[in-house]
Amino acid sequence: QLDGFDGYEVWQFPQLDDGVEAGRVSTDEEAIAELEELRKRGADYLVVPATEIPWLERHEGFRSHLERYALPNDDPGAAVICDLGQSAEARIAEGRKS
């Protein structure tokens, strides 16, 4: 259940072309491809709730890919939040310009 996202359109991950939840992806490559497809379609954030963190830990390649987008979180035990609009490298580079 996805509560507390007032004002945001919530999409499932992964999803079929019509937006319906597709179940789980089995490989890191599938997860990365699905994430990048959602980014192309306009997804701004990925929120991985605490209940799915064990899945994330089993998919090291996908988790490593997400580190490009991860945001600092006051409560990482609640969720991993990723800003898909700008990679961490770009945010760091932008911060150096300031």
Side-chain angles (χ1 to χ4, degrees), residues 44-94:
D44 295 318
Y45 295 93
L46 175 70
V47 178
V48 180
T51 56
E52 294 300 320
I53 290 176
W55 176 88
L56 191 59
E57 291 171 350
R58 290 190 303 274
H59 291 273
E60 187 174 324
F62 182 64
R63 187 181 74 235
S64 178
H65 184 77
L66 284 182
E67 287 174 3
R68 299 174 58 204
Y69 306 110
L71 294 172
N73 189 350
D74 289 340
D75 189 3
V80 173
I81 302 172
C82 301
D83 180 347
L84 301 177
Q86 185 178 41
S87 71
E89 294 94 346
R91 284 194 303 273
I92 290 168
E94 192 173 280

Side-chain angles (χ1 to χ4, degrees), residues 11-29:
W11 297 350
Q12 296 294 320
F13 174 84
Q15 63 178 248
L16 302 172
D17 289 338
D18 62 1
V20 175
E21 183 177 1
R24 292 197 176 175
V25 291
S26 58
T27 68
D28 292 336
E29 293 79 15

